[in-house]
Amino acid sequence: MIRSIYIVLLALAPLLTYGQKDKIFTKQGNDALERGDYEAAADSYQKALEINPDFKEASFNLGNIYMTQARERMKGVDPQTPEAQQIAEEIKGLSAKASRQYTEVAKLSETPEQINKAQYNLGNAELMGGAYDKSIEAYKEALRKMPTDEDARYNLALAQQLKQQQEQQQQDQQQDQEEKKEDQEKKEDQKQEPSDQQKEQQPQPQKLSKEEAEKMLEALAKQEKDLQDKVKRDNKKVQRIKIEKDW
């Protein structure tokens, strides 16, 4: 009888070990994160998710790494420099990766606290990527789960403010384009030459323009400054602002 139990345990051992590998890789990722080795941490979390795609902790922490990398990338960037457009694209890509992780965690989470954390961080990721409508909805969902979350309330107000600024800029830009179009049409009429305005407009590329990149970086810089000002008002440490929530 004892021999039979021993044989069964030997047969189950590989399965039990494999079932724990997701937690082992996540622990390795957490240790690397503590050391500040983001690449090693991300690699460990990704290995954990390959074994268990529904492991919330690994997915959540991986999203936090992408957000940390995005914030590190934007430090000291001058929106007027030639490389600003490329940096803005990189930040947008990292925030999109983080959004996917937080979205998945929000779907898998069951408790109000877990959903609040996932939605709050999702709001931060969407805000950093310039998707203000999505960030506003994420913050609202975080507040639905935890109405006392003052950080979510503050960031919601910030996202709404940035959205208003974006809409105003778009209106000003549209008005400017219409005025230029009218001036061009008048010049063409005076020359009595065929207008080029009849040509079909080519679809705009998805890549950020120089102006969009500058506006995005300026908005991110304002977001970071506002958060630091809030921390100062709350008499918290400014050296390392805890923007994303931990699992």
Side-chain angles (χ1 to χ4, degrees):
M1 180 66 179
I2 296 176
R3 184 179 179 183
S4 298
I5 295 174
Y6 180 71
I7 293 173
V8 171
L9 290 174
L10 284 177
L12 291 175
L15 296 176
L16 292 172
T17 302
Y18 183 80
Q20 295 295 318
K21 277 188 176 180
D22 55 350
K23 295 181 177 61
I24 293 172
F25 281 127
T26 299
K27 176 64 167 58
Q28 292 175 352
N30 293 343
D31 292 342
L33 191 59
E34 287 292 328
R35 300 192 306 269
D37 190 346
Y38 300 133
E39 291 186 5
D43 182 64
S44 294
Y45 293 140
Q46 287 167 349
K47 288 179 179 177
L49 291 171
E50 287 175 3
I51 296 171
N52 182 4
D54 294 340
F55 195 12
K56 297 190 291 292
E57 182 181 353
S59 188
F60 189 90
N61 289 353
L62 181 58
N64 281 0
I65 286 178
Y66 291 140
M67 289 295 288
T68 300
Q69 290 175 331
R71 295 188 190 283
E72 291 292 331
R73 195 71 184 94
M74 68 172 283
K75 283 184 178 178
V77 176
D78 183 355
Q80 305 298 325
T81 57
E83 63 269 18
Q85 186 173 354
Q86 179 183 348
I87 293 173
E89 287 287 348
E90 293 175 8
I91 292 172
K92 189 176 181 180
L94 287 167
S95 63
K97 288 182 178 181
S99 294
R100 287 193 289 270
Q101 298 301 321
Y102 297 139
T103 299
E104 188 63 24
V105 174
K107 291 178 182 177
L108 296 170
S109 296
E110 298 176 355
T111 67
E113 182 182 3
Q114 289 182 352
I115 297 173
N116 166 267
K117 288 180 178 181
Q119 291 291 347
Y120 175 84
N121 286 14
L122 175 60
N124 286 355
E126 296 293 1
L127 185 64
M128 178 167 283
Y132 300 136
D133 285 331
K134 291 182 179 179
S135 70
I136 289 171
E137 183 54 40
Y139 291 135
K140 286 181 177 179
E141 185 61 27
L143 284 166
R144 291 186 190 107
K145 298 303 178 184
M146 292 189 67
T148 58
D149 188 346
E150 292 304 320
D151 289 333
R153 196 179 309 280
Y154 176 85
N155 283 10
L156 172 61
L158 176 61
Q160 291 170 332
Q161 179 184 357
L162 290 173
K163 180 186 176 183
Q164 290 176 353
Q165 292 177 356
Q166 183 188 59
E167 290 175 345
Q168 185 60 51
Q169 290 173 349
Q170 289 174 345
Q171 290 177 3
D172 294 342
Q173 186 177 10
Q174 182 178 0
Q175 183 177 356
D176 184 58
Q177 289 176 347
E178 290 176 355
E179 291 176 354
K180 288 181 179 179
K181 182 179 178 181
E182 290 177 1
D183 292 340
Q184 181 66 24
E185 288 176 350
K186 289 179 181 178
K187 291 179 181 178
E188 294 297 330
D189 290 340
Q190 291 174 356
K191 293 181 180 179
Q192 295 182 352
E193 293 180 359
S195 173
D196 292 335
Q197 301 297 323
Q198 302 300 325
K199 295 182 181 179
E200 293 184 1
Q201 294 183 351
Q202 297 297 323
Q204 295 295 322
Q206 296 298 318
K207 194 173 182 179
L208 291 172
S209 67
K210 182 180 178 181
E211 290 183 354
E212 289 173 335
E214 290 178 358
K215 289 176 182 177
M216 176 181 171
L217 289 173
E218 288 172 355
L220 289 173
K222 183 181 185 303
Q223 175 191 348
E224 201 75 14
K225 182 179 181 300
D226 288 345
L227 288 170
Q228 289 185 10
D229 290 342
K230 178 178 183 291
V231 171
K232 289 178 181 178
R233 289 195 301 270
D234 293 343
N235 294 322
K236 296 180 181 178
K237 293 182 180 179
V238 183
Q239 287 82 356
R240 186 177 180 85
I241 302 173
K242 185 176 175 183
I243 298 175
E244 274 67 59
K245 294 186 177 182
D246 295 329
W247 187 253

